Amino acid sequence: MKVILAGYPKTGTKTMRQAFIYLGLSNYDFPENCQFLRKDWMKILTKGGTTEDFRRMYENVDTVTDMPGFYFWEEIHEAFPDAKIILTKRANEEEWCRSFKSQMAKGDGIFHKFLVYLSPTGYLFSVFVKKLAFVVFGTYGTDPLFGKNKFSDVILKGKYRRHNAHVLQCAPSDKLLVYDLEEGWGPLCAFLGCPVPSKPFPFKNRGASFTEEWMTKHPYFLQMQKELLISGGILLLAFVIFCYLVFIV
């Protein structure tokens, strides 16, 4: 582990992931943590974890972005004391809260609800995300079966505010960069001690677009959709057989 991004989701985590990849650094973002480390994280969230747990989880990964890693930056840094820490923030907590709720609204559709019930992978993902959300955000919202999920701004902004303050207070000053994405490659590459890439600085997930990108491209979410189709097909076949036995035979 070389770099820990300690910034909350919706503070440029997808942009930072792509920037790290452009710099030749491997990365675990939210999907990779779910796909490869879900069991480890469930243990940490329910029973606790040790420095050795975090070292084993990330020993072959260069960078970590988004949740759950950002929230446990301190524990990861204890396992990798030479790692650098980057904090990204929004202009203010109101802006961050609006952006966060806009991203969460992308999962309000009925299709995403069915994934939980008709995909085994989707169900395990949902259990993990709900438990994680209470730790990271202090709430999972109202979580209705139909309609929009609603969140408490007070709880969200309080969590965001206290987390940023804790990073600024407790992260080693010689290992910490408070980074504004609009500054581009310069400060980031200087902090990491690497040359500036020829590629333009990447800006990702504008307009909360990553939900659709994950669902159409990421193997973890494609697996959920495959399971959904199989389960749906089995249910449809069972319904047809039921109708045949009841109304025809």
Side-chain angles (χ1 to χ4, degrees):
M1 178 60 59
K2 298 177 181 178
V3 188
I4 305 163
L5 185 68
Y8 249 82
K10 302 307 298 175
T11 64
T13 56
K14 301 301 168 286
T15 293
M16 290 302 298
R17 167 184 166 81
Q18 190 60 56
F20 289 143
I21 291 173
Y22 280 174
L23 293 173
L25 301 171
S26 63
N27 174 263
Y28 266 24
D29 196 65
F30 176 55
E32 289 74 31
N33 277 283
C34 295
Q35 184 176 10
F36 303 120
L37 300 176
R38 181 187 60 81
K39 291 182 179 179
D40 293 297
W41 278 115
M42 285 296 289
K43 171 185 174 291
I44 291 168
L45 294 172
T46 56
K47 299 178 181 178
T50 66
T51 299
E52 183 54 39
D53 287 329
F54 287 100
R55 186 177 297 114
R56 172 181 50 79
M57 290 161 64
Y58 291 111
E59 61 183 348
N60 296 314
V61 182
D62 293 328
T63 66
V64 61
T65 52
D66 211 290
M67 62 181 194
F70 89 95
Y71 195 78
F72 294 85
W73 68 270
E74 207 163 11
E75 288 79 5
I76 297 174
H77 194 257
E78 287 178 4
F80 301 94
D82 293 331
K84 296 187 176 182
I85 303 161
I86 298 176
L87 177 64
T88 50
K89 301 186 293 180
R90 286 275 183 161
N92 54 68
E93 61 190 40
E94 286 78 16
E95 179 184 297
W96 172 79
C97 192
R98 286 194 301 271
S99 181
F100 170 78
K101 290 192 292 184
S102 175
Q103 184 75 66
M104 293 302 99
K106 296 292 184 177
D108 285 338
I110 192 66
F111 175 77
H112 296 91
K113 304 291 185 181
F114 274 116
L115 275 180
V116 174
Y117 298 103
L118 296 178
S119 161
T121 302
Y123 172 76
L124 293 174
F125 170 76
S126 176
V127 171
F128 172 56
V129 168
K130 287 182 180 180
K131 190 168 290 294
L132 178 61
F134 279 107
V135 173
V136 171
F137 302 115
T139 176
Y140 190 67
T142 54
D143 191 28
L145 181 58
F146 300 101
K148 294 182 178 181
N149 194 3
K150 297 180 181 180
F151 296 87
S152 167
D153 288 10
V154 173
I155 293 176
L156 289 175
K157 289 189 287 188
K159 274 284 194 177
Y160 174 78
R161 185 189 317 125
R162 287 187 289 273
H163 173 80
N164 289 341
H166 180 68
V167 176
L168 291 171
Q169 181 178 3
C170 297
S173 59
D174 61 327
K175 297 290 180 63
L176 176 65
L177 172 68
V178 180
Y179 180 53
D180 183 346
L181 273 62
E182 297 299 330
E183 295 178 315
W185 286 118
L188 178 63
C189 291
F191 179 66
L192 298 180
C194 60
V196 175
S198 58
K199 297 179 179 179
F201 189 79
F203 287 97
K204 295 290 185 178
N205 201 27
R206 286 180 166 172
S209 61
F210 244 79
T211 300
E212 289 83 359
E213 186 167 335
W214 282 344
M215 296 304 292
T216 57
K217 295 181 179 181
H218 199 284
Y220 185 60
F221 295 96
L222 291 174
Q223 176 66 25
M224 293 184 197
Q225 295 173 72
K226 180 180 179 181
E227 293 170 358
L228 173 64
L229 291 174
I230 293 173
S231 299
I234 292 173
L235 288 175
L236 179 60
L237 178 61
F239 177 74
V240 170
I241 293 173
F242 172 79
C243 291
Y244 175 78
L245 294 175
V246 171
F247 298 109
I248 298 178
V249 176

